[in-house]
């Protein structure tokens, strides 16, 4: 097996704190080191997940966090993969451990997000698909989320109340999470009465942008055993696959699909392929999962992930929600952390934060939101530009 141990997990609470992302990441790193019971000097590699909005230091996050913690000679790596940056950082750390380049690796991601919805950086970049979708379509992220919601309503009969119930479920879980930004239960009526942002989605259907940080201490299994961790949480698979040609479902920032006139579409879509690659590597399937943490940019997109992860069939996501299967206490809780609905997006940190939640759940230390008997979990956090992102953790 290519398992690596999760020795430590740490987070800085999400919110709008108005401080440097370096502060959040450093706090999360120190918490993860304390959780692992090791000193900063024991870390032989630092992998930082980058933010492109945090100024120049954000582009070299590995070195930024190593410097903030105090130079001690560790190798550094910095990765950027949009919302998949955290998963790519975990994958890089795992590869270094399995290659024998480092026994202990610190993975850190943090962000100080701007107010309001994400917008493109300044300047003209006609070769940048993300810039083009704003310039040519005026398609903000909420507009894109709304297109997917409309698609689900048209194809599968999902309703506005189905979307609202996703928020109700995640807010109830987030109210139990001390790291969440929003810790208050909401009703379907409150979702329905919130302002329309991009029809049919309302303000409470869409995740916010947030400040926050998350960190993990990963090690070889040999190091973990020598450190006294006989049965640690283990990362068993990381999927960072890209799409397969032709892509026949619109996926921003691309503003067109590929033609399927000459080539048949693949048997599975992009998001489905992310999960399938993770399952194959981990040698388990959706029936083996105890919980999942997914990328709920909007309430409708969470329902899409149920199907992409194989938790139910195509078009059955709303039904799975209605029967209570994905709520705390259900058959397969999804976003027991509260999800992005409760945290908001701190882009480089969020895929790492998902693995922090799996770690605490698999250890049995998640408190009031604990999933009983949790043994295996998966994360999903797709990044722009074809960045797959899924992590399988087991115990």
């Amino acid at each position: 097996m290519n398992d690596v141990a999760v020795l430590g997990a740490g987070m800085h609470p999400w919110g709008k704190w108005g401080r440097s992302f370096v502060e959040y990441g450093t706090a999360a790193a120190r918490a993860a080191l304390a959780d692992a019971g090791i000193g900063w000097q024991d870390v032989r590699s630092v992998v930082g997940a980058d933010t492109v909005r945090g100024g120049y230091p954000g582009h070299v996050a590995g070195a930024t966090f190593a410097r903030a913690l105090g130079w001690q000679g560790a190798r550094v790596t910095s990765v950027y993969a949009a919302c998949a940056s955290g998963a790519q950082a975990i994958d890089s750390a795992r590869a270094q451990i399995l290659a024998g380049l480092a026994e202990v690796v610190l993975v850190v991601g943090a962000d100080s997000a701007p107010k309001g919805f994400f917008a493109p950086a300044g300047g003209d970049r006609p070769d940048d698909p993300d810039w083009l979708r704003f310039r040519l379509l005026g398609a903000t992220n909420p507009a894109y989320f709304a297109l997917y919601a409309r698609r689900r309503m048209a194809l599968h009969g999902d309703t506005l109340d189905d979307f609202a119930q996703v928020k109700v479920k995640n807010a109830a879980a987030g109210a139990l999470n001390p790291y969440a930004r929003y810790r208050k239960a909401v009703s379907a009526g409150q979702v329905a009465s919130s302002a329309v942002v991009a029809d049919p989605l309302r303000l409470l259907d869409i995740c916010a942008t947030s400040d926050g940080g998350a960190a993990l201490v990963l090690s070889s299994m040999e190091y973990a055993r020598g450190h006294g961790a006989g049965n640690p949480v283990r990362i068993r698979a990381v999927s960072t696959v890209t799409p397969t040609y032709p892509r026949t479902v619109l996926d921003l920032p691309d503003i067109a699909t590929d033609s399927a006139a000459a080539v048949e579409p693949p048997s599975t879509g992009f998001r489905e392929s992310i999960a399938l690659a993770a399952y194959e590597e981990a040698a388990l399937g959706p029936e083996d999962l105890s919980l999942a943490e997914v990328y709920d940019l909007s309430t409708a997109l969470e329902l899409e992930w149920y199907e992409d992860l194989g938790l139910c069939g195509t078009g059955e996501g709303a039904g799975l929600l209605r029967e209570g299967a994905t709520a705390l206490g259900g058959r397969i809780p999804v976003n027991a952390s509260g999800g992005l609905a409760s945290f908001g997006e701190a882009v480089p940190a969020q895929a790492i934060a998902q693995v922090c939640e799996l770690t605490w759940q698999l250890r049995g230390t998640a408190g009031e939101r604990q999933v009983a008997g949790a043994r295996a979990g998966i994360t999903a956090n797709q990044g722009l530009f074809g960045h797959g992102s899924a992590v399988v953790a087991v115990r």
Side-chain angles (χ1 to χ4, degrees):
M1 301 295 292
N2 289 329
D3 290 0
V4 298
V6 183
L7 287 187
M11 291 176 62
H12 183 288
W14 258 235
K16 280 286 188 180
W17 309 113
R19 301 193 294 273
S20 167
F21 75 95
V22 181
E23 180 178 334
Y24 312 141
T26 303
R30 288 179 175 144
L33 289 167
D35 185 47
I38 67 173
W40 164 232
Q41 294 293 332
D42 298 318
V43 173
R44 300 321 308 148
S45 179
V46 181
V47 183
D50 292 350
T51 170
V52 297
R53 288 179 308 282
Y56 177 73
H59 292 280
V60 286
T64 297
F65 294 125
R67 179 178 182 272
L69 291 164
W71 295 125
Q72 42 86 311
R75 67 167 61 226
V76 294
T77 307
S78 296
V79 299
Y80 179 70
C83 292
S85 295
Q88 294 262 359
I90 292 168
D91 196 35
S92 178
R94 183 180 68 144
Q96 291 179 21
I97 292 167
L98 295 177
L101 298 176
E103 280 197 303
V104 183
V105 182
L106 174 66
V107 181
V108 191
D111 202 2
S112 297
K115 184 178 180 180
F117 300 122
F118 292 136
D124 290 342
R125 299 184 308 284
D127 57 348
D128 175 355
D130 201 32
W131 179 87
L132 285 171
R133 59 112 168 189
F134 283 98
R135 176 60 66 89
L136 297 183
L137 299 182
T140 62
N141 285 353
Y144 175 47
F145 308 156
L147 290 172
Y148 257 98
R150 281 291 178 196
R151 184 175 187 271
R152 289 199 61 84
M153 294 172 78
L155 292 180
H156 308 312
D158 290 7
T159 68
L160 298 182
D161 186 63
D162 290 328
F163 302 153
Q165 292 299 334
V166 174
K167 174 67 174 184
V168 171
K169 172 186 72 71
N170 289 347
L176 305 176
N177 193 331
Y179 296 104
R181 176 178 176 182
Y182 301 105
R183 300 191 59 197
K184 184 178 180 181
V186 301
S187 67
Q190 287 174 303
V191 179
S193 63
S194 63
V196 173
V197 175
D199 188 58
L201 298 179
R202 297 179 176 272
L203 185 64
L204 294 184
D205 283 302
I206 297 170
C207 76
T209 61
S210 291
D211 298 357
L216 296 165
V217 176
L218 307 182
S219 79
S220 66
M221 293 303 296
E222 293 77 13
Y223 183 94
R225 285 189 287 268
H227 191 64
N231 183 31
V233 173
R234 304 182 300 282
I235 291 177
R236 180 153 289 175
V238 183
S239 172
T240 60
V241 297
T242 55
T244 301
Y245 179 86
R247 296 182 74 178
T248 55
V249 177
L250 185 66
D251 195 7
L252 290 183
D254 297 323
I255 56 177
T257 59
D258 298 323
S259 172
V263 180
E264 285 293 320
S267 58
T268 58
F270 174 40
R271 282 188 296 273
E272 294 173 275
S273 72
I274 298 171
L276 286 173
Y279 291 144
E280 182 177 2
E281 183 181 354
L284 52 71
E287 67 279 1
D288 301 307
L289 298 175
S290 306
L291 73 158
E293 286 287 311
V294 307
Y295 190 39
D296 58 318
L297 291 166
S298 79
T299 51
L301 284 173
E302 176 168 320
L303 298 179
E304 194 88 10
W305 278 114
Y306 296 176
E307 299 163 20
D308 294 330
L309 293 181
L311 306 182
C312 61
T314 300
E316 298 175 358
L320 195 68
L321 173 79
R322 291 171 197 153
E323 69 184 54
T326 59
L328 287 175
R331 175 173 58 82
I332 177 68
V334 177
N335 285 336
S337 66
L340 296 183
S342 300
F343 278 75
E345 283 197 275
V347 171
Q350 56 206 32
I352 301 171
Q354 288 179 324
V355 179
C356 289
E357 180 66 19
L358 290 191
T359 299
W360 295 322
Q361 290 284 353
L362 296 175
R363 287 177 179 173
T365 60
E368 294 180 89
R369 64 185 191 283
Q370 179 64 50
V371 175
R375 306 301 298 172
I378 192 170
T379 71
N381 195 302
Q382 175 192 357
L384 290 182
F385 315 108
H387 288 120
S389 171
V391 178
V392 173
V394 300
R395 193 174 193 188

